Amino acid sequence: MSTRTLRGRFQWTVVVPILALVLLVATWSNHEHPVILSAIGAALVGAVLAAVHHAEVVAHKVGEPFGSLILAVAVTVIEVGLILMLMSSGGDAASTYARDTVFAAVMITFNGIVGLSLLVGASKHHLVSFNASGTGSALATVVALAGVTLVLPSFTTSAEGGAYTAFQLGFAAVASLLLYGAFVFTQTVRHRDFFLPVSSDKYGRMTGLLDEDGDSHADPPPAKEAWFSLGLLVVALVSVVFLAKMLSPTIESGVKAAGLPYTVVGVVIALLVLAPESIAAVRNALRNRVQTSLNLAYGSAMASIGLTIPTIAVAMIWMDGPLTLGLEPTQMVLLAVSVVVAMLSITPGRAKTLQGVVHLVLLAAFLVVSVQP
């Protein structure tokens, strides 16, 4: 497939980020009218989709597992921007936005993206295979990150209400960066083969590595195309962050008017930023590249914690008010069950549709208790 064909097919991804940026500049000082807010919402969704597409183009150029890493970092930049914008706008639950959004991202990746990938992949290919060593190390890193940043604050006594002291928050930020950096080094340098798509026999047993491009992939784009997408990716990310700032009061008002808990705001943010990545994971699962799907899922969960918490920690130097990170008991139960199920799904190195269904039921349980605690 030629570059011209790709550009023709995805021409909207060139137009949408530019239009979103123009709309941002034009409506920044006056955006209270419902028609303008609707346009902002549409532009926000379009910019998110365009951002992930351009991240995929750049990812296709650099190959796996770098591609999954770029996509995860791009999505996390969007997430961090949305959290900071919502926290800066104040509100009754500003102190818990970071916790609720990060936890929602973990649950959606653990159970939503993983569940969909296993269900779709196994439904089409009977059994799907992946490298349990690579995926298991990713899961272990996410569990350690979640334990330090989301679980431990609920049990410390130096600060009240599930918060860390300044010293403890600084430690959590440094530990998060250390864990994330160690995993990235393992994934991209030390043991890169553990994170490449694998081939399997008719029983789903791993037999070797797939070609990085895959038969169903287009040829990697030339450098000029990749740089072009990188530039549009930056434009799209800037647009997403500031459009979300303009739309945040409407999101909060809608949640309040519906009589829903403020934790739903975090769920909405996580669903918004992870929806395109979920699509990318499902596409890879359909091509029997579940390893790439799992790289996307656990890489996003890892980046959501490992990059978001340090950024929020630094931002708290200038922001007023407490930062509540400790999970509620119900949230901890859901996290613990999700971790156990993930371990059981990953250990064999292959999965069938049942595992996908189990993960999706846990996602549904998370959504139910978020709407009605």
Side-chain angles (χ1 to χ4, degrees):
M1 185 181 295
S2 66
T3 301
R4 181 177 300 177
T5 302
L6 281 174
R7 281 188 175 177
R9 178 175 296 179
F10 297 113
Q11 188 174 5
W12 67 270
T13 60
V14 177
V15 176
V16 167
I18 297 173
L19 288 179
L21 187 61
V22 171
L23 180 65
L24 170 64
V25 174
T27 62
W28 179 255
S29 59
N30 185 13
H31 51 268
E32 287 78 19
H33 195 279
V35 174
I36 296 178
L37 289 173
S38 299
I40 290 173
L44 176 62
V45 174
V48 169
L49 293 171
V52 176
H53 162 73
H54 290 298
E56 285 184 319
V57 172
V58 177
H60 193 194
K61 176 64 178 178
V62 300
E64 282 294 329
F66 299 99
S68 299
L69 179 64
I70 291 173
L71 194 54
V73 171
V75 168
T76 303
V77 169
I78 298 173
E79 180 185 343
V80 171
L82 293 175
I83 292 173
L84 288 176
M85 292 302 175
L86 286 171
M87 289 181 65
S88 65
S89 65
D92 297 335
S95 64
T96 61
Y97 280 145
R99 179 199 69 185
D100 294 338
T101 305
V102 169
F103 178 66
V106 171
M107 294 301 295
I108 291 168
T109 53
F110 258 47
N111 296 311
I113 298 180
V114 171
L116 276 174
S117 299
L118 296 182
L119 179 62
V120 170
S123 295
K124 182 175 181 180
H125 304 286
H126 186 59
L127 284 171
V128 290
S129 299
F130 45 86
N131 193 315
S133 296
T135 307
S137 63
L139 175 62
T141 307
V142 176
V143 172
L145 283 166
V148 171
T149 60
L150 298 177
V151 178
L152 197 57
S154 296
F155 298 95
T156 54
T157 57
S158 297
E160 297 181 355
Y164 268 150
T165 64
F167 174 75
Q168 290 170 335
L169 183 59
F171 166 77
V174 172
S176 297
L177 288 174
L178 178 63
L179 284 169
Y180 187 71
F183 177 79
V184 169
F185 177 77
T186 300
Q187 184 185 36
T188 60
V189 179
R190 192 74 173 181
H191 298 289
R192 186 185 173 206
D193 287 352
F194 287 179
F195 301 92
L196 295 177
V198 298
S199 58
S200 59
D201 59 21
K202 64 180 181 178
Y203 301 107
R205 294 175 299 205
M206 188 176 72
T207 58
L209 297 177
L210 287 175
D211 175 58
E212 286 191 35
D213 287 336
D215 295 335
S216 59
H217 277 228
D219 292 332
K224 184 178 180 180
E225 181 87 4
W227 281 108
F228 181 70
S229 283
L230 181 61
L232 287 172
L233 173 61
V234 173
V235 171
L237 291 177
V238 170
S239 300
V240 165
V241 170
F242 288 99
L243 287 173
K245 166 64 175 177
M246 296 162 63
L247 202 61
S248 59
T250 303
I251 296 174
E252 292 178 309
S253 299
V255 169
K256 186 176 181 179
L260 300 174
Y262 275 103
T263 54
V264 174
V265 176
V267 177
V268 171
I269 295 173
L271 286 172
L272 176 66
V273 301
L274 290 172
E277 192 158 19
S278 302
I279 296 172
V282 169
R283 286 175 177 171
N284 277 284
L286 287 171
R287 294 195 294 262
N288 204 17
R289 298 167 65 86
V290 171
Q291 182 65 57
T292 300
S293 301
L294 297 179
N295 290 348
L296 286 167
Y298 292 120
S300 293
M302 200 180 306
S304 292
I305 305 174
L307 299 180
T308 300
I309 298 303
T311 303
I312 299 297
V314 173
M316 291 306 295
I317 297 174
W318 297 278
M319 298 178 69
D320 296 326
L323 175 65
T324 302
L325 290 177
L327 296 176
E328 300 291 338
T330 303
Q331 294 173 320
M332 282 190 279
V333 169
L334 282 170
L335 178 62
V337 174
S338 298
V339 169
V340 172
V341 170
M343 291 171 60
L344 295 174
S345 297
I346 288 171
T347 301
R350 54 182 179 171
K352 46 189 176 293
T353 55
L354 175 61
Q355 277 90 345
V357 173
V358 172
H359 282 286
L360 291 175
V361 168
L362 287 176
L363 175 65
F366 161 69
L367 295 176
V368 167
V369 298
S370 296
V371 174
Q372 193 174 75

